[in-house]
Amino acid sequence: MLKLPVYLDYNATTPCDPRVVETMLPYFTQDFGNAASRNHSFGWKAEEAVERAREQVAEIIGASPKEIIFTSGATEAGNLAIKGVFEAYALKGNHVITTNIEHKAVLDTCKHLEKKGAEITFLPVKNNGIIDIPELEASIRPNTILIAVMYANNEIGTIMPVAEIGALAKKHNILFFTDATQAVGKIPVDVQKDNIDLLAMTAHKMYGPKGVGALYVRRRNPRVKIVAQIDGGGHERGMRSGTLNVPGIVGFGKASEISWREMDKEAIRLKKLRDKLEISLLELEETHLNGSIKQRLPHVTNLAFKYVESDALMMTLNKEIAISSGSACTSASLEPSYVLKALGWDDDLAHGSLRFSLGRFTTEEEIDFTIEKVKSSVKTMREMSPLWDMYKKEMI
Ligand SMILES: Cc1ncc(COP(=O)(O)O)c(C=O)c1O
């Protein structure tokens, strides 16, 4: 039986997998020790659990456990990476290259540093949502210290050419940071193969709890230095002070282990469902795919329905289907998403776009229901639209 509402906003956050919750539970009540308490068994048990989670998290990105710093999520990890490198490499240079479709966690961190004397290049993307590698290389300067390019985009799901970026960064002796929040646990990520020096990730996008994430910091070849942004008791080898969130970290570890094991099969299953949804919705007239059709995550599609306001469409659907307009719309400003605008779309297309992101608990029945509902809502809304009427008359 179909249970409503249908959740298709897995890129915003995922539910905790019950197996993750079960693993976390003892660490709230029974094994509640502080992982930094060195003098008794409560502390030892907590520390042991944290170190096991560190191994599980490291494994999913091909890192070694010592290269994992636990944080409160990907926003903090991104801040620590970018600000931490900017401060640690101040003598080498002050130029950072990023893209104009990064998550705000990266974009606004770069803008913050700009006010503190950093030079930032915000690279544009092509209309498929992917940067141009020759353009990236041309933007490198003698004072470039960091390239910060996301692994996969949260709104359109496109995957950046990470291996090429890593190779380029290595060739020019520049550090490479990637915000892999949407990629880890969904597609294979390998920091060694792709020459990634720093990587941000978060548990709540991979069926773990909210409020816990990690920064990977390479320790060899090169040994990356960062300046801590939170000072205190010297936890996480001095790079991030503060009592560790032991239950959260344990959950993050378990979530990584499950995703690592199930990722390949799950990607195939979700791609099938995503393609079914996408192909059916693209049958609607004047409907377009946002972003690359080839280089993208298997569980995401972002579609533009011309002559429809996505916010109005969402309002008609949101009692039964949870989706996102993929826009950074705030109630105060009706600006369309900066990511969609960066693709070169006019406001019309950007305003009519919806992001569907599928996940572990999505069923075929839910997809069939969504296809039917979205199709009929788009048709109804267009029938009421004077612009659609004009478009149809011009067609005749
Ligand atoms: C690409 C990307 N980076 C960073 C974040 C922020 O992650 P967190 O919620 O763990 O701070 C998100 C979450 O929306 C994201 O999608």
Side-chain angles (χ1 to χ4, degrees):
M1 250 274 284
L2 181 70
K3 202 170 142 263
L4 294 179
V6 172
Y7 187 73
L8 290 179
D9 204 11
Y10 280 82
N11 276 19
T13 195
T14 58
C16 257
D17 190 301
R19 293 168 289 181
V20 167
V21 178
E22 197 188 327
T23 314
M24 290 169 69
L25 282 177
Y27 294 92
F28 287 103
T29 48
Q30 217 173 293
D31 301 322
F32 57 85
N34 185 329
S37 295
R38 292 274 150 81
N39 304 319
H40 50 70
S41 62
F42 292 88
W44 302 332
K45 265 200 171 162
E47 194 194 7
E48 217 176 273
V50 166
E51 292 317 310
R52 168 145 176 68
R54 207 184 293 283
E55 284 169 18
Q56 291 165 317
V57 169
E59 184 169 30
I60 201 171
I61 57 166
S64 92
K66 281 193 176 151
E67 295 174 313
I68 299 296
I69 300 169
F70 287 117
T71 64
S72 63
T75 300
E76 188 194 330
N79 270 264
L80 176 56
I82 299 168
K83 292 175 183 168
V85 163
F86 179 70
E87 286 184 33
Y89 292 83
L91 288 178
K92 186 170 178 234
N94 66 342
H95 179 226
V96 176
I97 302 170
T98 187
T99 80
N100 61 2
I101 65 161
E102 298 297 307
H103 188 272
K104 291 278 184 183
V106 169
L107 271 185
D108 286 4
T109 302
C110 288
K111 286 179 188 163
H112 173 88
L113 288 184
E114 216 169 17
K115 289 190 205 129
K116 305 227 158 188
E119 293 171 31
I120 313 280
T121 299
F122 295 94
L123 281 180
V125 291
K126 295 178 282 186
N127 64 9
N128 63 0
I130 292 167
I131 56 163
D132 184 49
I133 293 289
E135 198 174 351
L136 168 62
E137 186 157 27
S139 70
I140 293 173
R141 306 175 191 165
N143 62 340
T144 307
I145 50 170
L146 181 69
I147 296 174
V149 175
M150 69 197 322
Y151 206 113
N153 184 268
N154 43 306
E155 287 192 30
I156 51 178
T158 45
I159 300 171
M160 291 289 190
V162 169
E164 287 173 69
I165 300 167
L168 197 67
K170 197 171 175 66
K171 180 175 133 194
H172 291 271
N173 199 20
I174 298 166
L175 296 177
F176 174 32
F177 161 67
T178 188
D179 172 2
T181 304
Q182 296 288 351
V184 173
K186 316 291 168 52
I187 54 170
V189 170
D190 187 331
V191 292
Q192 296 305 342
K193 186 166 78 48
D194 293 340
N195 291 304
I196 296 165
D197 297 307
L198 302 114
L199 176 148
M201 58 198 287
T202 196
H204 77 96
K205 309 275 188 192
M206 47 191 282
Y207 311 95
K210 293 167 183 57
V212 57
L215 178 67
Y216 152 78
V217 184
R218 177 177 285 281
R219 273 167 68 91
R220 282 178 49 204
N221 241 340
R223 187 183 178 91
V224 176
K225 289 178 290 174
I226 52 170
V227 172
Q229 301 298 308
I230 299 177
D231 297 307
H235 308 76
E236 298 297 90
R237 294 193 318 284
M239 289 196 257
R240 200 276 189 180
S241 287
T243 300
L244 290 179
N245 169 6
V246 178
I249 290 169
V250 166
F252 188 14
K254 185 67 182 175
S256 303
E257 182 212 298
I258 296 171
S259 296
W260 177 236
R261 221 178 27 235
E262 299 181 355
M263 183 166 58
D264 294 350
K265 239 171 93 189
E266 184 63 354
I268 295 169
R269 185 185 81 85
L270 289 178
K271 183 177 181 303
K272 242 192 211 156
L273 291 180
R274 189 273 315 270
D275 289 350
K276 181 177 190 184
L277 173 70
E278 182 175 286
I279 290 165
S280 305
L281 295 181
L282 284 172
E283 284 166 2
L284 287 164
E285 283 175 81
E286 290 296 308
T287 302
H288 309 275
L289 175 72
N290 293 320
S292 167
I293 190 157
K294 281 196 232 133
Q295 253 174 274
R296 60 176 168 149
L297 296 169
H299 59 283
V300 185
T301 184
N302 190 313
L303 300 172
F305 304 93
K306 220 170 166 188
Y307 307 106
V308 170
E309 277 287 335
S310 57
D311 284 345
L313 182 56
M314 265 193 319
M315 277 206 298
T316 68
L317 292 169
N318 67 12
K319 285 212 175 67
E320 292 175 317
I321 306 170
I323 39 179
S324 148
S325 67
S327 82
C329 273
T330 60
S331 46
S333 96
L334 285 174
E335 271 294 292
S337 142
Y338 63 89
V339 173
L340 298 178
K341 285 191 91 165
L343 303 183
W345 283 178
D346 57 26
D347 280 10
D348 271 7
L349 273 180
H351 270 304
S353 293
L354 286 182
R355 174 185 77 185
F356 301 84
S357 45
L358 289 59
R360 190 171 287 166
F361 305 102
T362 306
T363 63
E364 181 148 20
E365 201 185 5
E366 291 179 331
I367 293 300
D368 291 338
F369 175 81
T370 304
I371 292 169
E372 208 188 295
K373 278 282 163 188
V374 175
K375 273 186 155 175
S376 69
S377 299
V378 168
K379 282 180 189 157
T380 310
M381 290 188 70
R382 282 177 172 168
E383 274 158 20
M384 295 186 302
S385 154
L387 289 173
W388 179 251
D389 201 39
M390 270 160 59
Y391 161 74
K392 286 308 250 184
K393 281 186 181 137
E394 275 168 27
M395 294 267 294
I396 302 167

